[in-house]
Amino acid sequence: MGPGGGLEVGPEGRGGGGREAGPGAEPEAGPEAGSEDRPEVGPGGGLEVGLEVAASYRARRRGLLGRDGIAGAMLLTPANSVHTLGMRFPIDVAYLDRRLRVLAVVTMRPGRLGLPRPRARHVLEAEAGAMARWGVRPGTRLTLTADPTPGA
């Protein structure tokens, strides 16, 4: 597995392009890992949450299937649609453009097929309710960072 990464949710209209963590990245390690209710404040002043990146076909296909939940979020890239067939829990889905600006946020129950979003280049998934807690809504720009301590 590759290094972990982070997702910073900045105030609306803020945030840079950021760097994407490597394929197959795992959630950020540390005392706050696994606590999406208390994300850390990132260097840009936004909330920082653990992030897994699914960049290979195999990783995107597996996604969150077979899990009972996720601490943080999972980024599927490239992707413009998702499904929840075989999922065990409802998820929030944020569709992102190439600049990581949120185009739409929807909550999907298990067993649903999402419609493709033509302008979306990435999809961010998290447990239902997480996007609202993090302030992710259309127009928000996200920043992705690589974990500064790989393998920790």
Side-chain angles (χ1 to χ4, degrees):
M1 290 276 176
L7 167 72
E8 187 172 333
V9 181
E12 200 162 337
R14 286 189 45 165
R19 295 177 300 159
E20 292 184 21
E26 296 178 359
E28 198 168 343
E32 293 295 320
S35 177
E36 72 270 5
D37 290 328
R38 295 176 295 149
E40 297 179 22
V41 174
L47 297 178
E48 192 172 289
V49 297
L51 179 70
E52 294 179 52
V53 179
S56 70
Y57 173 77
R58 186 176 187 178
R60 287 191 309 272
R61 183 176 168 150
R62 175 141 175 94
L64 297 175
L65 293 176
R67 296 187 186 194
D68 293 322
I70 182 171
M74 177 176 279
L75 180 75
L76 287 77
T77 182
N80 68 354
S81 67
V82 296
H83 68 82
T84 57
L85 303 173
M87 296 276 299
R88 297 179 181 168
F89 58 98
I91 60 172
D92 282 348
V93 178
Y95 296 91
L96 312 174
D97 68 11
R98 66 186 71 217
R99 293 188 177 133
L100 302 177
R101 188 167 306 275
V102 178
L103 300 172
V105 178
V106 297
T107 300
M108 294 178 66
R109 296 189 325 254
R112 302 290 184 234
L113 183 63
L115 295 174
R117 303 285 173 138
R119 289 185 18 223
R121 297 294 179 265
H122 317 281
V123 174
L124 185 68
E125 298 178 337
E127 286 193 18
M131 302 285 181
R133 284 193 308 273
W134 300 336
V136 174
R137 60 185 178 271
T140 304
R141 188 146 178 203
L142 307 178
T143 302
L144 305 180
T145 57
D147 187 350
T149 56

